């Protein structure tokens, strides 16, 4: 019940991004799947402690306030590490990084509003940022004029970093390329029930984007679509996008939905672009 109440509050907050009915469905699915996940939830106290703890650590090194930066990121260390190090070398600004799922981190930002525990959010889908637009201050990058307008928000609340397509993956030892899902609707077929690796939307921005895409692409009633997809998952949910790849590669699940970049990791597997 508490999870459902929290979902209702999230729906009211995200009206600018989806119609009320679409967001209700997305958050309902998120609540159902998240409740099935066995991973530990990051609560408000832990989220706030991460940011404030980082600032205390910076204080311990004698770093002045104008030389501290707290970055929340959903990227892997191999992505953000070189960027953070170069930034520190160029600016002399001390950076503390907190990583996690993009939806999980955005939820933390929403709970921490006004506490200044996060300065910059790095990573996550545009759909997720639009849903949490109210928590971000506009900022126009000096190189924005060199970017295509489609990679910029109308009010400078976010700037695109990469374009990462969502792909379908399958275990190529257990599933042939011909029989693997080739469309979003294929995942609703009974033959894939309980065999789909899909990360909890309550933590993964990739899954949030996947659900939004599914709603836009399939000519179905939104509520019926979400109910059918929940049935297809059969109560099984992956802890994160990385786990989706691992579970398909090892045969725990036969097929999955994830980012193309993430799909390149792990054991050999088949990949299909919808």
């Amino acid at each position: 019940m508490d999870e459902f109440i929290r979902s209702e509050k999230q729906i009211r907050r995200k009206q600018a991004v989806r119609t009320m009915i679409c967001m209700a469905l997305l958050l309902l699915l998120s609540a159902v799947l998240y409740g099935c996940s066995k991973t530990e939830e990051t609560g408000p106290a832990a989220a706030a402690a991460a940011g404030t703890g980082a600032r205390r650590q910076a204080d311990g090194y004698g770093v002045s306030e104008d030389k501290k930066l707290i970055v929340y990121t959903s990227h892997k260390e191999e992505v953000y590490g070189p960027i953070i190090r170069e930034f520190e070398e160029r600016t002399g600004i001390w950076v503390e990084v907190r990583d996690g799922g993009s939806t999980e981190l955005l939820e933390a930002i929403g709970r921490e509003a006004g506490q200044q525990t996060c300065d910059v959010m790095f990573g996550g889908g545009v759909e997720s940022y639009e849903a949490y637009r109210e928590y971000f201050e506009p900022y126009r990058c000096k190189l924005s004029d060199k970017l295509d307008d489609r990679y910029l928000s109308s009010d400078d609340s976010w700037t695109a970093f990469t374009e990462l397509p969502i792909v379908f993956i399958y275990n190529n030892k257990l599933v042939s390329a011909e029989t693997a899902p080739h469309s979003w609707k294929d995942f609703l077929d009974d033959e894939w029930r309980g065999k789909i690796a899909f990360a909890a939307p309550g933590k993964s921005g990739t899954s949030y984007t996947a659900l939004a895409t599914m709603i836009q692409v399939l000519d179905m009633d939104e509520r019926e679509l979400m109910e059918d997809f929940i049935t297809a998952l059969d109560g099984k949910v992956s802890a994160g996008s990385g786990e989706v790849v691992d579970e398909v590669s090892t045969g725990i699940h036969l097929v999955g939905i994830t980012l193309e970049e993430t799909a390149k990791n792990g054991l050999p597997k088949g990949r299909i672009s919808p």
Side-chain angles (χ1 to χ4, degrees):
M1 181 60 73
D2 289 342
E3 187 71 32
F4 180 77
I5 292 173
R6 189 174 70 177
S7 296
E8 289 298 311
K9 292 180 179 178
Q10 292 170 344
I11 292 167
R12 290 195 293 270
R13 186 173 66 239
K14 302 177 182 180
Q15 289 179 347
V17 186
R18 294 281 182 270
T19 62
M20 182 65 77
I21 181 63
C22 287
M23 282 313 304
L25 292 168
L26 286 173
L27 269 298
L28 175 61
L29 178 58
S30 177
V32 170
L33 295 182
Y34 193 62
C36 296
S37 175
K38 295 182 179 180
T39 58
E40 182 179 354
E41 179 180 0
T42 301
T52 56
R55 293 203 180 274
R56 291 194 195 98
Q57 186 176 356
D59 292 339
Y61 287 112
V63 181
S64 60
E65 280 297 324
D66 61 343
K67 292 294 184 180
K68 305 172 188 175
L69 193 71
I70 307 300
V71 175
Y72 283 14
T73 181
S74 57
H75 285 295
K76 301 298 183 183
E77 199 279 335
E78 57 263 30
V79 176
Y80 72 74
I83 297 173
I84 295 297
R85 285 192 290 273
E86 182 175 344
F87 175 80
E88 290 179 322
E89 292 171 359
R90 286 190 179 191
T91 66
I93 294 176
W94 190 92
V95 179
E96 176 72 16
V97 176
R98 178 194 171 192
D99 57 4
S102 52
T103 304
E104 175 186 20
L105 293 172
L106 287 166
E107 286 289 347
I109 289 173
R111 293 191 297 263
E112 298 163 1
Q115 299 180 40
Q116 297 184 348
T117 53
C118 173
D119 297 309
V120 176
M121 174 71 182
F122 178 39
V126 168
E127 293 83 0
S128 298
Y129 279 109
E130 288 292 339
Y132 286 83
R133 178 191 292 265
E134 65 187 281
Y135 296 107
F136 294 94
E137 292 289 337
Y139 173 79
R140 188 164 185 83
C141 174
K142 290 190 295 184
L143 300 178
S144 291
D145 293 339
K146 299 183 181 298
L147 296 176
D148 190 299
D149 288 344
R150 60 181 172 165
Y151 299 124
L152 300 170
S153 64
S154 58
D155 62 353
D156 294 323
S157 59
W158 52 262
T159 302
F161 171 64
T162 53
E163 186 176 32
L164 299 174
I166 288 179
V167 296
F168 306 151
I169 60 175
Y170 61 93
N171 186 305
N172 55 14
K173 293 182 179 180
L174 303 174
V175 178
S176 68
E178 292 73 25
T179 59
H182 283 69
S183 70
W184 291 99
K185 193 170 185 179
D186 287 345
F187 285 97
L188 304 181
D189 292 345
D190 288 340
E191 68 175 302
W192 303 118
R193 181 171 179 174
K195 303 172 185 176
I196 304 168
F198 190 78
K203 284 192 172 184
S204 169
T206 300
S207 290
Y208 185 100
T209 299
L211 290 176
T213 302
M214 192 180 298
I215 287 176
Q216 293 174 23
V217 170
L218 296 182
D219 185 22
M220 295 177 60
D221 174 78
E222 290 91 345
R223 180 173 294 279
E224 179 184 355
L225 171 58
M226 290 297 96
E227 290 176 349
D228 287 352
F229 189 59
I230 291 173
T231 299
L233 294 175
D234 199 26
K236 301 174 183 177
V237 61
S238 306
S241 298
E243 284 75 12
V244 168
V245 175
D246 293 340
E247 290 171 7
V248 171
S249 296
T250 57
I252 295 175
H253 291 100
L254 298 183
V255 298
I257 302 172
T258 190
L259 291 175
E260 182 178 53
E261 186 67 23
T262 307
K264 295 177 182 178
N265 302 321
L267 298 172
K269 68 195 76 64
R271 188 167 69 242
I272 296 172
S273 298

